[in-house]
Amino acid sequence: MTLPVFLVAALPTGPSALLDGPEGRHAATVRRLRPGEELVLSDGSGAQARCAVTAVRKDALELDVVERWVVPEPAVRVVLAQALVKGDRGELAVELATEAGVDAVVPWRASRCVTKWDDGPRGAKALERWRATAREAAKQARRARVPAVAEPAGTAELARLAGSSAVALVLHESSSSPLGSVPLPASGEVLLVVGPEGGITDEELSALTAAGAHAVRLGPDVLRASTAAAVALGALGVLTDRWR
């Protein structure tokens, strides 16, 4: 069984460390780790350290650092532009995409989004939920890197991002081109665009394809907005070197 991962602001520089705060409390009182057991500390940006528990406090662990390493970024990075989805299905989309290996997430304010994020406290709270979801899903998946969740973007911003990416793929149910028909780069950024429950409008699709994006289809069935990205990431893992 792989070791549990706990996120810290920075890895310890010396031979020992104290895991306290919410992560230390979780390790000591929920996971109930004991002296002699091991865990992994991660800064969420690729640097990790394997540590052995030497002592347990009420809500913290004392640790000895056993080994350090850095997990490099994949040569092909996948950035998900996920349209806002109603209820908790947006958080589900982020959770599944993070577990499937996405490198970054851009919330997309598509025209047909049922839910709307304003620029005030409610929008900031919704964005923070997406970021917290990505963090927790990365820990659950034992990932060395936590995907960054950017500020929400409109279609014009998304088109600019598509134009600067090595490849941009728009999942669209009316496309006759399978995802595997688009040549994928050996390195660089792949933008993966997932629309809302109501679908991508013709104007949005035109703006994205004019910027160089390819409209593609995953298979014969229509997937939900909350699950499409995870399925596509699995396909991209096989079609590129990401899973090798």
Side-chain angles (χ1 to χ4, degrees), residues 110-219:
S111 298
R112 291 176 176 164
C113 288
V114 175
T115 186
K116 305 292 182 183
W117 288 6
D118 58 32
D119 292 324
R122 289 183 62 187
K125 187 176 180 179
L127 177 59
E128 183 52 39
R129 284 198 299 269
W130 278 33
R131 287 173 171 166
T133 298
R135 176 184 174 91
E136 291 306 310
K139 287 172 54 180
Q140 180 67 32
R142 312 294 200 264
R143 291 190 55 178
R145 296 177 180 273
V146 177
V149 179
E151 295 289 328
T155 301
E157 297 169 273
L158 200 57
R160 287 193 288 272
L161 185 58
S164 64
S165 300
V167 170
L169 305 170
V170 182
L171 301 186
H172 200 277
E173 68 276 6
S174 66
S175 175
S176 59
S177 301
L179 187 150
S181 68
V182 178
L184 297 173
S187 62
E189 201 162 88
V190 173
L191 177 67
L192 178 67
V193 181
V194 176
E197 298 101 323
I200 298 172
T201 66
D202 292 341
E203 294 76 16
E204 289 168 335
L205 186 60
S206 295
L208 294 170
T209 55
H214 303 268
V216 296
R217 189 181 177 100
L218 279 176

Side-chain angles (χ1 to χ4, degrees), residues 1-25:
M1 185 175 179
T2 56
L3 298 177
V5 174
F6 295 90
L7 289 171
V8 293
L11 292 186
T13 56
S16 60
L18 177 68
L19 179 62
D20 56 7
E23 293 287 79
R25 189 175 307 111

Side-chain angles (χ1 to χ4, degrees), residues 11-155:
L11 292 186
T13 56
S16 60
L18 177 68
L19 179 62
D20 56 7
E23 293 287 79
R25 189 175 307 111
H26 182 77
T29 64
V30 179
R31 294 301 299 260
R32 294 176 137 342
L33 296 178
R34 292 296 176 257
E37 294 187 277
E38 294 189 336
L39 56 82
V40 172
L41 297 181
S42 173
D43 68 356
S45 298
Q48 296 189 305
R50 180 168 61 91
C51 301
V53 179
T54 56
V56 179
R57 301 185 185 180
K58 180 179 178 182
D59 55 3
L61 298 180
E62 295 179 22
L63 308 169
D64 277 348
V65 178
V66 178
E67 179 186 10
R68 305 170 192 268
W69 67 93
V70 176
V71 177
E73 284 194 287
V76 177
R77 296 183 73 254
V78 179
V79 176
L80 168 63
Q82 174 69 53
L84 306 183
V85 187
K86 64 181 179 181
D88 60 0
R89 299 201 70 85
E91 292 158 47
L92 175 63
V94 173
E95 178 182 22
L96 294 177
T98 299
E99 292 175 358
V102 77
D103 297 294
V105 178
V106 179
W108 178 28
R109 286 173 166 150
S111 298
R112 291 176 176 164
C113 288
V114 175
T115 186
K116 305 292 182 183
W117 288 6
D118 58 32
D119 292 324
R122 289 183 62 187
K125 187 176 180 179
L127 177 59
E128 183 52 39
R129 284 198 299 269
W130 278 33
R131 287 173 171 166
T133 298
R135 176 184 174 91
E136 291 306 310
K139 287 172 54 180
Q140 180 67 32
R142 312 294 200 264
R143 291 190 55 178
R145 296 177 180 273
V146 177
V149 179
E151 295 289 328
T155 301

